[in-house]
Amino acid sequence: MKILVLNGPNLNMLGIREPGIYGRSTFADLLALIERTAKEENLDIEQYQSNHEGHLVDKIQWAYGKIDGIVINPAAYTHTSVAILDALKAVSIPAVEVHISDVDAREPFRQISYAGMACVHTIKGHGFEGYREAILYLKEHYGP
Ligand code: DQA
């Protein structure tokens, strides 16, 4: 099974950005956790991070016909991007939305998720572990 893990803007700053909210572990730590999960679960996982909305749209379109499941943390674009929502709908690949923090317990503007409207499941507030849970969810529900 091939899974694409997508991370949006400022997630490359994990470990530096707002450690009170996102913790002190780095983006490299997150990539390593996902790599470990791929090996343990015998999955083919590709990872991609971008600070640019259009690049994330391009990557979702690229996934069509190649990828069986998407894990996506669109970061700030969660709350603004109809383009990412439309891209997920266009490719119709099962997608799980992940947020490191509990967005429901934060500012009101974080409580709308456009991307989430095209996702089969959402995991919020479980830290980095949420990505592992999302991968396992896709494997269990959409794996061979
Ligand atoms: C985030 C939550 C978003 O509201 C925020 O803009 C992020 C990260 C999270 O993982 O908790 O950049 O998606």
Side-chain angles (χ1 to χ4, degrees), residues 5-8 10-15 22 24-38 45 47-49 71 73 98 100 126-132 135:
V5 177
L6 285 177
N7 278 302
N10 301 306
L11 291 168
N12 56 314
M13 296 292 280
L14 286 169
Y22 300 110
R24 294 224 172 257
S25 300
T26 64
F27 184 58
D29 294 332
L30 176 62
L31 297 179
L33 178 145
I34 293 165
E35 276 305 310
R36 266 201 313 280
T37 306
I45 297 188
Q47 306 203 53
Y48 181 75
Q49 188 274 333
V71 173
N73 183 348
V98 173
I100 296 165
H126 295 188
F128 286 11
E129 187 56 29
Y131 288 82
R132 218 181 111 74
I135 291 163

Side-chain angles (χ1 to χ4, degrees), residues 26-113:
T26 64
F27 184 58
D29 294 332
L30 176 62
L31 297 179
L33 178 145
I34 293 165
E35 276 305 310
R36 266 201 313 280
T37 306
K39 285 204 181 87
E40 284 162 13
E41 300 295 330
N42 200 24
L43 295 165
D44 184 354
I45 297 188
E46 165 149 354
Q47 306 203 53
Y48 181 75
Q49 188 274 333
S50 179
N51 294 325
H52 304 276
E53 184 177 16
H55 292 174
L56 293 163
V57 169
D58 285 345
K59 195 67 183 178
I60 293 166
Q61 292 185 5
W62 166 88
Y64 181 73
K66 299 187 187 78
I67 292 289
D68 307 304
I70 295 175
V71 173
I72 183 164
N73 183 348
Y77 291 138
T78 306
H79 319 299
T80 62
S81 180
V82 177
I84 291 175
L85 166 64
D86 284 350
L88 290 170
K89 283 178 155 179
V91 297
S92 266
I93 299 169
V96 177
E97 176 187 19
V98 173
H99 298 287
I100 296 165
S101 66
D102 180 5
V103 279
D104 291 339
R106 298 180 64 190
E107 303 95 324
F109 67 83
R110 293 187 202 275
Q111 282 159 39
I112 176 133
S113 169

